[in-house]
Amino acid sequence: MKFKNLSFKEQIDRIIENSQKDNAADFLIVRKNTPQILQMIGIPNLPIFMTRKHIITTSQSSGTYAGANYHNLGKHLLYELPKLLESPVLVAESLSRPNSVILLTDKIDAENRPIIIALHIGKTAQFNNQMIAVWRRKHLTNVFIKFNLNLSPT
């Protein structure tokens, strides 16, 4: 798929419309650079991307990716991702997943559950920052336990 002249929103729409294509390696650049606030904590200033698979599993309730966790957050939340990355409420390092951080956003879903973004740093040689998940959580404590997050100041 060629997205050269499409807006970010149009690229998301195109990926979702073609979600049945069996090509999980396709990706979308969410941001051409890392937001300043993330650079200040040591995340390199590189593009942030998201794979087709993660776009589909974030936006839809079900699909063809066997064993995947579908979050059903809709495409409208995906449209907001570049902006959400600019001002996380909290950034926590994962002690159980090397080179990963969890970003708590100020965005909530229809059931007042906070939206959380997982970001792998140094994921590939071509693009270092990969958004691997966007989801919502009823109980934030479970997120901190699941990812064994380091919330203490360094």
Side-chain angles (χ1 to χ4, degrees):
M1 293 189 304
K2 298 288 183 190
F3 294 145
K4 197 170 193 165
N5 297 317
L6 298 178
S7 71
F8 182 72
K9 178 184 176 294
E10 290 169 328
Q11 291 177 58
I12 290 171
D13 291 342
R14 181 77 57 90
I15 288 172
I16 291 171
E17 289 165 10
N18 295 302
S19 66
Q20 299 306 312
K21 286 189 176 182
D22 187 26
N23 189 355
D26 282 350
F27 62 89
L28 171 67
I29 302 243
V30 176
R31 285 187 54 102
K32 293 180 182 178
N33 57 13
T34 300
Q36 186 67 33
I37 193 165
L38 298 178
Q39 290 180 51
M40 290 171 58
I41 61 168
I43 297 175
N45 183 18
L46 296 165
I48 297 175
F49 76 99
M50 191 172 190
T51 65
R52 167 194 288 278
K53 176 182 176 182
H54 289 108
I55 291 166
I56 300 304
T57 58
T58 295
S59 63
Q60 298 179 356
S61 61
S62 63
T64 59
Y65 294 108
N69 292 321
Y70 287 84
H71 303 293
N72 196 30
L73 293 174
K75 65 183 180 180
H76 296 286
L77 176 79
L78 292 173
Y79 299 157
E80 296 181 55
L81 288 178
K83 194 75 171 158
L84 291 173
L85 289 166
E86 291 177 7
S87 56
V89 173
L90 175 104
V91 179
E93 176 185 15
S94 174
L95 298 176
S96 62
R97 297 176 188 234
N99 299 317
S100 297
V101 294
I102 305 300
L103 287 73
L104 174 63
T105 72
D106 62 356
K107 182 80 176 168
I108 56 173
D109 71 1
E111 297 174 28
N112 287 325
R113 295 179 291 188
I115 302 300
I116 300 165
I117 299 170
L119 186 66
H120 276 185
I121 301 157
K123 183 66 178 171
T124 67
Q126 186 177 8
F127 300 102
N128 272 11
N129 301 325
Q130 179 185 4
M131 191 176 305
I132 58 158
V134 179
W135 77 103
R136 58 188 164 210
R137 270 295 197 203
K138 185 174 182 179
H139 302 289
L140 282 179
T141 307
N142 295 342
V143 172
F144 300 132
I145 292 169
K146 177 181 178 183
F147 286 92
N148 189 21
L149 297 176
N150 178 9
L151 297 176
S152 59
T154 54

